[in-house]
Amino acid sequence: MHDAPRPVPFRGGGFRPQRLRGVGVAVFVVLILLIEWGTRAGWISSLTLPRPSDVVATLVQLWKSGLFFQHVTPSLTRLAVGSAMGVLAGVAVGVMIGLFSLARAGLVPLVAALFPIPKIALLPLFVIWFGIDEGSKYALIALGTFTPTVVATFGAVDNVDRTLVRMGQSFGLRWWSIVRKIVLPGALPGILSGLRISLSIGIILLVAAEMLGAQYGIGAYILEAGSLYDLERLFAGVVILSSLGVLVSWLIAQLEKRLLIWRS
Amino acid sequence: MAHPTILGAGMDLKIEQLSHSYDTVNVLSDISLQVPSGQIMCVVGPSGCGKSTLLRMIGGLERPSAGQVLQSGDVPPDCLNPLTFVFQDFALLPWRSVAGNIELVLEDHPLDGAARAARVADVLARTNLSDFAKALPRQLSGGMKQRVAIARAMAVHPAVMLMDEPLSALDAQTRELLIDDLVGLWMRAPFTAVYVTHNLAEAVRLGHQIVVLSRRPGRVREVMHLSTPLDQRSMADPGLQAAQERLWALMRDEALAADKELAHA
Amino acid sequence: MNQVSRRHAMGLLAGAATLPVLGAPALAANSKITVGALAFTSHAASFVAFERGYFAEAGLDVEFKFFQAAQPMAVAIASGDADYAVTAISGGLISLAEKGATKVIGGALSEEKGIDGQKILVSDAAFKAGVTTPKALDGKAWGVTQAGSSFHYMGAKIAAAEGISLKYTPLQKTGAVIGALKSGQIDGWSIVPHIAKPLAKSGAVHIIGDVADYIPNYQVTTVFTSAANAANERAKTQAFLAAFSKGADDFNAALVDKTTSADEAEAMVKLIHKYVYTDREYEKAKPSIVNGAMRINKGAALNMSSVNDQLSWFKSEGLVKDSISMDMLVDGSYVSTT
């Protein structure tokens, strides 16, 4: 009655993400071709979506006319200055919260209260405080990047292996040496991954910041296109903005590669 | 003078009526011990008996509720950190190389660059790590990591090494190799150490005296003295076998009871 | 039972009251339509037509949808969320017309010599610094809601006439522009008189000129609808325009030409107060409503030359495509055009 011996069935597959190159690009290409076809054939009306080739033409035009840099340069400056202020202050406050019980008790509730405020709602207030020009834009982006950086930083400081700190203490290292050589490098991975979120929020807030009193800037360009119902320019602006997001993400990945080489 | 020190020359440790409790739980009760210089004292006991707590108190990382730890005698002149720990989980900075991890504990001291480099080179040579000076911890096996931690501890020329289950994270074969290493290091330059372990074989291989603690609250149940020179102790030695069996007999019931105890919330 | 029958009786009465009224082309059944509006006096014609039953007489069951700015209204017409709306010609409206979504079908608010029209305002700080005439605004910050809004057009026309240049500052909402002007963040702006006058009275801003001097016969707002309504729903569209015009006539008579009795004027202000300045008490709202009365074109007539001028300006600024023509923007078959 015994059956012939048969191989044990394999049941261990799946649940393991694999690197598939080019699929992401293919999805983009297929989607864009589909929209191109739809807008040309007419089953997507010009009111619904712009023709991708027209968007490309708009981008080329933008580049040739020199307006590209006229819009991108102020936006990049705002993003750089605003998020530099927000991130530096955020790391400083986050480290303080991580190290001092008094700072933790005093500042964590404050940060928790600041975090959920839609920063856009504060823009009119910032205009009064910091002026309608660059000041209010920097302030908006700075505040927007500040809170997530604080939360990421003090979480990262909390997660620094305490045995490393004890080791430092057991060797009689000075307090500042422990912070500089053990706590900060140990918190760096957490701070950098917080930076991804902070800078994405910074890019989102760029559009909001340029709502008030900006003649040039990617956000102003998108808002203008939206109010003119100019879909080609609207999408051209969106393409620039999401390229900016990809670029920032890539830069952080490079930074991680260099600084976190010690991670397995 | 190739090896500038005899580690631990001249410093004795005395533990006087030390007791400790966390909130309402008594962890250690009335411990009095003496660690003579140039000897290794092993502390064994069932899990949760407070042996690691005791070690942290000896090293000044925790404050006892009652009693005190006294140090007497001279600290060697070039000693940078009299009481130096070796941790179970190595506690190496993953972002620093092997040499960097050793330099870390020298950087806060007024040593010139050459003196610092000499110390690093010396301890790397003594632990056979010279070829790995530039490696990162993630590239090392567990045994190698602990060798680095030991080298780091020796770099400050400690008066007493406080070793907290240094071999527990390693597999059995690696542990054997490291025991041999420690014995070799001690034979070349005898050092003073308090060595906490739950592994009785380690205790009888390395201990000049072996302190058995009872389960919580930890008390000294017995202090066993072994006179066989460290380099002559082998696993096959009947004397050591007997000592180990005796230790196990002392501990067995305690270990059994400790095992059944509910974890303290 | 009693309650129901009473309500029934009231309904009958109301129905009877409308019976003898003739004139408006009656539709077969009550057509439900949505009318987009801003809570401004300039939209009064629609409110009057609704409150006095002119829409109902024309067989239109009207529901208002209120907006914060002109341009979103154009988008709502395009998306079918609103059927008819009255607002300034904006770049968005023209772009949507170019995509075949919207059509201008009539005129509403006009600048007219002799009637108080839109004012040119400057901030107190700018005024004190010597900006007392529009010419002195050279190089100053001019508030606009969005690029391509009517404020942008007015600023550009003033600048062109004076041979000066302005720095256009987009602030999205009229409220934000007012705030920025009061605090001196921007220097100049132009706005309808019922907003301009109270601001000037507070001393925070100063009136330095009239828009009508720069843009005579300016067709400030127009009536527009979706291209589909304009082409396929003639009866409904005519009915809407007829009722709207009746509302406009009542409004002009009571508050612009002031040919009616004081009681009628009072009644008109009260009617409008239901929609405009509802957050203020009547006595305080009344002057603002009276001040804000600008002529709404009789018969929703459309000033084509003004529309053409606006379209050319949008094109010349590159805000809309060059390819768009008046025919794409306007369906002139409904009202008289000049």
Side-chain angles (χ1 to χ4, degrees), chain C residues 189-212:
Chain C
W189 190 39
S190 59
I191 189 63
V192 285
H194 63 97
I195 295 175
K197 286 180 184 172
L199 279 175
K201 212 175 273 175
S202 73
V205 305
H206 301 270
I207 294 172
I208 59 161
D210 286 299
V211 172

Side-chain angles (χ1 to χ4, degrees), chain A residues 160-161 163-164 166-175 177-178 180-187 259-264, chain B residues 56 59 61 80-81 83-85 87 89-96 101 104-109 136 138 149 152-153 156:
Chain A
V160 171
D161 193 348
T163 60
L164 295 183
R166 293 281 170 268
M167 180 277 292
Q169 291 174 323
S170 78
F171 277 96
L173 264 59
R174 279 193 287 269
W175 182 86
S177 290
I178 291 176
R180 204 159 48 89
K181 296 172 186 171
I182 299 179
V183 175
L184 287 183
L259 293 179
L260 305 183
I261 195 164
W262 47 271
R263 282 204 300 194
S264 39
Chain B
R56 284 201 294 276
L61 287 184
L80 301 177
N81 189 49
L83 302 169
T84 294
F85 277 88
F87 298 92
D89 48 11
F90 325 130
L92 299 178
L93 302 185
W95 49 88
R96 284 196 177 218
N101 265 286
L104 171 81
V105 300
L106 305 175
E107 285 166 1
D108 275 8
H109 298 284
L136 283 171
R138 68 176 162 91
R152 176 178 63 188
V156 295

